[in-house]
Amino acid sequence: MSAIRKCPNCGQWSRWTQNPTDRCEHCNSILDPVAVARQQARAERKQEEEERYSIKFIEVNPDDPWYIQFFKRIGLGFQIAFVSIISFFIWLIALLAG
Ligand SMILES: [Zn+2]
Protein backbone atom coordinates (compact mmCIF):
# COMPACT_ATOMS: atom_id res chain seq x y z
CA MET A 1 0.00 0.00 0.00
CA SER A 2 1.38 3.37 -0.86
CA ALA A 3 0.30 6.86 0.06
CA ILE A 4 1.67 10.33 -0.13
CA ARG A 5 2.90 12.35 2.76
CA LYS A 6 3.91 15.96 3.15
CA CYS A 7 7.60 16.27 3.94
CA PRO A 8 8.11 17.95 7.32
CA ASN A 9 11.33 19.51 6.07
CA CYS A 10 10.61 20.98 2.60
CA GLY A 11 6.79 20.82 2.48
CA GLN A 12 6.69 18.86 -0.81
CA TRP A 13 4.49 15.80 -1.22
CA SER A 14 6.32 12.51 -1.47
CA ARG A 15 5.40 8.91 -2.04
CA TRP A 16 5.16 7.14 1.28
CA THR A 17 4.93 3.38 1.79
CA GLN A 18 4.10 3.95 5.48
CA ASN A 19 7.53 2.73 6.33
CA PRO A 20 9.27 4.78 9.05
CA THR A 21 12.48 4.82 7.06
CA ASP A 22 10.90 6.32 3.93
CA ARG A 23 12.64 9.47 2.79
CA CYS A 24 11.47 12.57 0.95
CA GLU A 25 11.94 12.38 -2.83
CA HIS A 26 12.93 16.04 -2.91
CA CYS A 27 15.25 16.69 0.04
CA ASN A 28 15.93 13.14 1.27
CA SER A 29 14.83 13.88 4.84
CA ILE A 30 12.89 11.32 6.85
CA LEU A 31 9.15 11.63 6.21
CA ASP A 32 8.04 10.40 9.59
CA PRO A 33 10.67 11.37 12.17
CA VAL A 34 8.34 10.58 15.10
CA ALA A 35 7.93 6.97 14.00
CA VAL A 36 11.67 6.65 13.46
CA ALA A 37 12.40 7.99 16.94
CA ARG A 38 9.82 5.65 18.42
CA GLN A 39 11.25 2.66 16.61
CA GLN A 40 14.76 3.59 17.71
CA ALA A 41 13.68 3.93 21.35
CA ARG A 42 12.02 0.53 21.18
CA ALA A 43 15.15 -1.08 19.72
CA GLU A 44 17.31 0.49 22.43
CA ARG A 45 15.01 -0.69 25.19
CA LYS A 46 15.05 -4.21 23.78
CA GLN A 47 18.83 -4.20 23.69
CA GLU A 48 18.98 -2.97 27.30
CA GLU A 49 16.71 -5.79 28.42
CA GLU A 50 18.77 -8.37 26.60
CA GLU A 51 21.94 -7.06 28.24
CA ARG A 52 20.33 -7.12 31.66
CA TYR A 53 19.28 -10.76 31.43
CA SER A 54 22.33 -12.16 29.77
CA ILE A 55 25.39 -13.04 31.79
CA LYS A 56 28.58 -11.67 30.38
CA PHE A 57 31.41 -14.09 30.86
CA ILE A 58 34.87 -12.71 31.41
CA GLU A 59 36.88 -12.88 28.24
CA VAL A 60 40.42 -14.05 28.69
CA ASN A 61 42.57 -12.17 26.23
CA PRO A 62 45.70 -14.07 25.14
CA ASP A 63 47.58 -10.75 25.01
CA ASP A 64 46.97 -10.08 28.71
CA PRO A 65 49.90 -10.60 31.10
CA TRP A 66 49.90 -14.04 32.78
CA TYR A 67 48.69 -12.75 36.17
CA ILE A 68 45.72 -10.96 34.54
CA GLN A 69 44.85 -14.16 32.67
CA PHE A 70 45.25 -16.08 35.95
CA PHE A 71 42.77 -13.85 37.81
CA LYS A 72 40.40 -13.75 34.85
CA ARG A 73 40.36 -17.56 34.74
CA ILE A 74 39.55 -17.70 38.46
CA GLY A 75 36.76 -15.17 37.92
CA LEU A 76 35.50 -17.14 34.94
CA GLY A 77 35.57 -20.32 37.02
CA PHE A 78 33.40 -18.63 39.66
CA GLN A 79 31.02 -17.36 36.99
CA ILE A 80 30.62 -20.81 35.46
CA ALA A 81 30.14 -22.37 38.91
CA PHE A 82 27.55 -19.72 39.78
CA VAL A 83 25.62 -20.23 36.54
CA SER A 84 25.74 -24.02 37.02
CA ILE A 85 24.32 -23.70 40.57
CA ILE A 86 21.56 -21.35 39.38
CA SER A 87 20.73 -23.70 36.48
CA PHE A 88 20.67 -26.62 38.90
CA PHE A 89 18.22 -24.81 41.21
CA ILE A 90 16.02 -23.82 38.28
CA TRP A 91 16.02 -27.46 37.18
CA LEU A 92 15.31 -28.63 40.75
CA ILE A 93 12.44 -26.15 41.19
CA ALA A 94 10.97 -27.22 37.85
CA LEU A 95 11.28 -30.85 38.91
CA LEU A 96 9.64 -30.24 42.31
CA ALA A 97 6.93 -28.04 40.86
CA GLY A 98 6.12 -30.63 38.20
ZN1 LIG B 1 11.51 17.09 1.65
Side-chain angles (χ1 to χ4, degrees):
M1 214 178 110
S2 85
I4 52 166
R5 192 182 174 91
K6 197 173 187 177
C7 170
N9 188 43
C10 67
Q12 300 263 33
W13 292 91
S14 264
R15 224 175 349 182
W16 185 46
T17 58
Q18 299 179 357
N19 195 326
T21 54
D22 282 349
R23 286 172 179 274
C24 172
E25 290 168 3
H26 307 278
C27 69
N28 206 34
S29 66
I30 289 163
L31 285 174
D32 196 353
V34 177
V36 172
R38 205 162 40 216
Q39 204 178 43
Q40 226 158 34
R42 206 183 304 141
E44 276 170 24
R45 209 161 40 233
K46 200 172 164 228
Q47 201 184 356
E48 262 174 38
E49 269 170 31
E50 277 171 8
E51 278 171 12
R52 196 177 309 147
Y53 294 117
S54 72
I55 293 156
K56 275 210 174 62
F57 286 108
I58 297 168
E59 280 172 37
V60 181
N61 191 335
D63 297 330
D64 284 339
W66 69 268
Y67 53 92
I68 298 286
Q69 284 195 38
F70 177 73
F71 283 113
K72 277 186 174 178
R73 278 179 209 281
I74 291 173
L76 190 62
F78 275 114
Q79 276 189 317
I80 291 167
F82 179 74
V83 171
S84 309
I85 291 165
I86 297 292
S87 312
F88 172 73
F89 275 108
I90 289 168
W91 172 79
L92 195 69
I93 288 162
L95 194 76
L96 293 175

